[in-house]
Amino acid sequence: MQMKAAVLHAQGLPRPYAETRPMQIEDVVLDPPGPGEVLIEIAGAGLCHSDLSTIENQRPRPLPIIIGHEGAAIVREVGQGVTGVKPGDHVVTLFVGSCGECRYCVRGRPNICASAFKSRAAGTLISGAKRLRRMNGEPINHNSGLSLFAQFAVVMRNAVVKIDDDIPLDDAALFGCAVMTGAGAVFNTARLRPGEEVALVGLGGVGMNALFAAVAVGAGRIIAIDTSAKKLELAKAWGATDVFLAGNADCAAAVRDATDGGVDTVIETAGTMPALELAYAITARGGSTISAGLPNVGAKFSYLHAALVSEERSIRGSYMGSCVPQRDIPLMLGLYRRGKLPVERLKSGFIGLDEINLGFDRLSDGLVLRQILRPNG
Ligand SMILES: [Zn+2]
Ligand SMILES: [Zn+2]
């Protein structure tokens, strides 16, 4: 079939993107779903910081590529052998579509599936296929097995989770990345318990979902930290007990002073070195520093080895919130239904494909939390 898509043809172009247009809106060809694959119509796709860092060339990707990795969609066609979803079903998409067979999948950790890792680097689906091409026949790479900045996508069956029809698809879209990553870091990676304290460094879409999750858990103290005073205000209104403005040298000392030497669990979601350094600096003895923000591919973090040992520190990564999505997305949607994961607060408006470059200018300026692309109007 033929459809419209935003094709990323160059990484690292200067801003403003509204003028340099790293993504061009093109008519492209999408092949029908092969065995184990499904065709979905994109209802909503969030503009996420990790898309922005791909545009900025923080992580090189094979080009041309269609990015977009957080969304909700309607199944339109299923390939041979697909079970569990049928045309008309509403789904949330997963940027790690697990294979179910590798050593990580069989241990219950589909979020770090080896096959997904391999196919992501190759710009293919886990099946090895590329289903996208330009009108002149040139293949277009898939992004994380999804490529949602388009009217339709062909993805693996395991890259979607069926959801109830009455959940608004615009809200459901956020569960595909921001909610799983942020709330999952709190529920799964940190396993935060009622009364415990947590600090959140970075208050974008992921950080705010970590905040909602910390409130839902019943955290005793929630310390929110960001470089934007406006986001701190929001965090305070949404349940943070303490807020600190990052960006000056005194921030770490101020947090340590206010917390009797540091916080037991610190979750960093900004994906920058200053953010991770701050997170580590405010972690208490015996505490955990959890990093959930995707950084530049070459960024390296250093720490005092002696302190790691004598203070019994932990530094942990959290990818896709350590989620088992087929288990966790229904649980998280249950919390959403009860108003405990109020993701609708994060929506900053809707855009069409034509505005996508401008949308990333806005995200880069820090003016918005989550814009939702509606590629089908
Ligand atoms: Zn994302
Ligand atoms: Zn796997």
Side-chain angles (χ1 to χ4, degrees), residues 352-373:
L353 273 172
D354 292 342
E355 300 159 282
I356 194 158
N357 291 295
L358 174 63
F360 279 103
D361 282 324
R362 289 191 200 112
L363 188 66
S364 185
D365 287 333
L367 302 176
V368 291
L369 285 170
R370 257 317 180 267
Q371 305 163 86
I372 310 286
L373 170 74

Side-chain angles (χ1 to χ4, degrees), residues 248-270:
N248 61 58
D250 301 337
C251 182
V255 175
R256 282 197 302 260
D257 279 353
T259 56
D260 190 22
V263 184
D264 295 328
T265 301
V266 183
I267 300 174
E268 174 278 315
T269 61

Side-chain angles (χ1 to χ4, degrees), residues 121-166:
T124 68
L125 303 180
I126 283 182
S127 61
K130 288 189 185 182
R131 302 292 179 207
L132 290 160
R133 59 199 141 86
R134 283 190 151 130
M135 300 301 284
N136 66 8
E138 180 192 2
I140 299 173
N141 291 286
H142 292 266
N143 175 231
S144 298
L146 291 178
S147 298
L148 302 180
F149 294 160
Q151 291 181 300
F152 294 84
V154 167
V155 305
M156 302 306 298
R157 158 66 185 98
N158 280 356
V160 299
V161 175
K162 182 174 154 35
I163 63 169
D164 292 337
D165 289 354
D166 64 328

Side-chain angles (χ1 to χ4, degrees), residues 48-50 69-70 95 177-178 370:
C48 172
H49 262 103
S50 39
H69 65 276
E70 172 185 274
F95 58 87
C177 176
R370 257 317 180 267

Side-chain angles (χ1 to χ4, degrees), residues 151-200:
Q151 291 181 300
F152 294 84
V154 167
V155 305
M156 302 306 298
R157 158 66 185 98
N158 280 356
V160 299
V161 175
K162 182 174 154 35
I163 63 169
D164 292 337
D165 289 354
D166 64 328
I167 306 253
L169 285 164
D170 298 326
D171 290 354
L174 274 69
F175 285 75
C177 176
V179 180
M180 269 200 296
T181 306
V186 170
F187 296 148
N188 298 328
T189 319
R191 295 187 176 275
L192 198 71
R193 290 164 48 82
E196 290 183 350
E197 61 182 20
V198 64
L200 307 171

Side-chain angles (χ1 to χ4, degrees), residues 5-22:
V7 181
L8 182 70
H9 61 90
Q11 292 181 277
L13 291 183
R15 289 195 49 204
Y17 299 133
E19 281 168 27
T20 59
R21 304 187 73 77

Side-chain angles (χ1 to χ4, degrees), residues 110-373:
N111 61 317
I112 51 171
C113 170
S115 308
F117 186 82
K118 224 186 277 176
S119 57
R120 183 186 310 131
T124 68
L125 303 180
I126 283 182
S127 61
K130 288 189 185 182
R131 302 292 179 207
L132 290 160
R133 59 199 141 86
R134 283 190 151 130
M135 300 301 284
N136 66 8
E138 180 192 2
I140 299 173
N141 291 286
H142 292 266
N143 175 231
S144 298
L146 291 178
S147 298
L148 302 180
F149 294 160
Q151 291 181 300
F152 294 84
V154 167
V155 305
M156 302 306 298
R157 158 66 185 98
N158 280 356
V160 299
V161 175
K162 182 174 154 35
I163 63 169
D164 292 337
D165 289 354
D166 64 328
I167 306 253
L169 285 164
D170 298 326
D171 290 354
L174 274 69
F175 285 75
C177 176
V179 180
M180 269 200 296
T181 306
V186 170
F187 296 148
N188 298 328
T189 319
R191 295 187 176 275
L192 198 71
R193 290 164 48 82
E196 290 183 350
E197 61 182 20
V198 64
L200 307 171
V201 179
L203 298 171
V206 173
M208 288 300 190
N209 274 292
L211 172 66
F212 297 151
V215 173
V217 161
R221 198 168 177 188
I222 304 170
I223 295 127
I225 305 168
D226 197 276
T227 52
S228 154
K230 197 177 148 228
K231 286 179 181 167
L232 293 181
E233 241 172 74
L234 286 174
K236 190 106 206 196
W238 295 342
T241 57
D242 306 70
V243 296
F244 291 89
L245 191 64
N248 61 58
D250 301 337
C251 182
V255 175
R256 282 197 302 260
D257 279 353
T259 56
D260 190 22
V263 184
D264 295 328
T265 301
V266 183
I267 300 174
E268 174 278 315
T269 61
T272 67
M273 200 43 62
L276 180 56
E277 283 168 352
L278 176 61
Y280 188 72
I282 63 169
T283 303
R285 297 166 79 90
S288 298
T289 311
I290 295 171
S291 182
L294 269 185
N296 181 290
V297 73
K300 284 186 179 166
F301 175 60
S302 69
Y303 51 82
L304 282 176
H305 188 169
L308 184 74
V309 176
S310 64
E311 297 181 11
E312 284 213 337
R313 301 284 206 110
S314 307
I315 305 170
R316 303 174 61 188
S318 176
Y319 191 54
M320 207 164 75
S322 312
C323 282
V324 178
Q326 306 286 348
R327 172 196 74 191
D328 289 332
I329 285 188
L331 296 179
M332 290 173 178
L333 283 167
L335 286 172
Y336 160 82
R337 277 188 193 282
R338 295 195 50 218
K340 303 280 189 186
L341 284 177
V343 301
E344 68 284 353
R345 293 179 189 167
L346 305 178
K347 291 190 293 188
S348 318
F350 301 99
I351 62 168
L353 273 172
D354 292 342
E355 300 159 282
I356 194 158
N357 291 295
L358 174 63
F360 279 103
D361 282 324
R362 289 191 200 112
L363 188 66
S364 185
D365 287 333
L367 302 176
V368 291
L369 285 170
R370 257 317 180 267
Q371 305 163 86
I372 310 286
L373 170 74

